[in-house]
Amino acid sequence: QIVVPNRMVETVDPITKKKTGGPLSAKSAVNRLMSWGLVLGILLGALQIGVLPLLHKSSPLPEVREAAKMPSYLASIYQVINGLVFIGEGVMIGTGSFLQLSLSTLVATCATLLALNKFPLKYGLTGVWMSFGVFNTIRLLGVWLHQTKNGPLARRNLEKTQ
């Protein structure tokens, strides 16, 4: 929310006359942040999978342990998506793309409500977690659209400013 807006402002050093910042610099910072979000999401997801054997100690009831197994795997996978979504939505805030962020969240929420009406009936607790996956996947799609198609740092919009 702070890094990208600061990078978007192009400044000129009064002594060296060297330009720093600007939209290309901001896009470079976004790419680095998204890479870090992906790496950290993968690491956190792997950590969660690594501690899944401790799930057997979470409850003395075998039914509870079995019911928690698949949602635990889904939650681990969703960490990768979350790493990208949280960075991407921060970029949307930083670039002032509030309408797109709101619309993306609205569409994701509606799809999640639809999924919550269907998936839990068929898959139980796993269906609730699948619905959460729908929410985050649609938010990721919103981030992707912002960064590649219609955001201020999308390639075609950067070319217009050059």
Side-chain angles (χ1 to χ4, degrees):
Q1 295 174 3
I2 296 170
V3 173
V4 174
N6 287 344
R7 290 287 184 129
M8 288 182 72
V9 176
E10 188 173 283
T11 59
V12 179
D13 186 295
I15 297 170
T16 64
K17 305 292 185 217
K18 183 180 176 186
K19 293 181 181 179
T20 59
L24 290 177
S25 177
K27 181 63 175 173
S28 178
V30 166
N31 291 342
R32 279 193 310 276
L33 289 168
M34 291 297 288
S35 296
W36 274 108
L38 178 64
V39 167
L40 293 174
I42 290 170
L43 289 174
L44 187 56
L47 176 67
Q48 282 185 250
I49 287 176
V51 299
L52 279 180
L54 298 176
L55 186 64
H56 293 292
K57 297 181 181 2
S58 65
S59 173
L61 302 173
E63 299 86 9
V64 172
R65 291 193 303 258
E66 189 60 34
K69 195 176 287 185
M70 185 54 72
S72 298
Y73 286 117
L74 291 174
S76 300
I77 293 167
Y78 297 158
Q79 290 304 330
V80 179
I81 296 171
N82 291 340
L84 294 169
V85 167
F86 293 154
I87 298 292
E89 288 183 345
V91 169
M92 293 169 90
I93 292 168
T95 58
S97 303
F98 302 111
L99 179 61
Q100 184 172 351
L101 176 58
S102 299
L103 291 174
S104 172
T105 304
L106 178 67
V107 170
T109 301
C110 291
T112 302
L113 291 173
L114 290 172
L116 281 168
N117 280 324
K118 300 288 182 196
F119 291 162
L121 296 175
K122 186 169 183 173
Y123 301 105
L125 179 61
T126 300
V128 174
W129 278 90
M130 291 167 66
S131 300
F132 186 59
V134 167
F135 181 67
N136 283 331
T137 301
I138 292 177
R139 289 170 58 213
L140 180 61
L141 178 63
V143 166
W144 177 79
L145 286 171
H146 180 261
Q147 291 196 12
T148 61
K149 304 292 182 204
N150 52 11
L153 299 177
R155 178 174 284 132
R156 69 180 183 185
N157 292 333
L158 285 174
E159 290 170 356
K160 290 178 189 176
T161 63
Q162 299 301 322

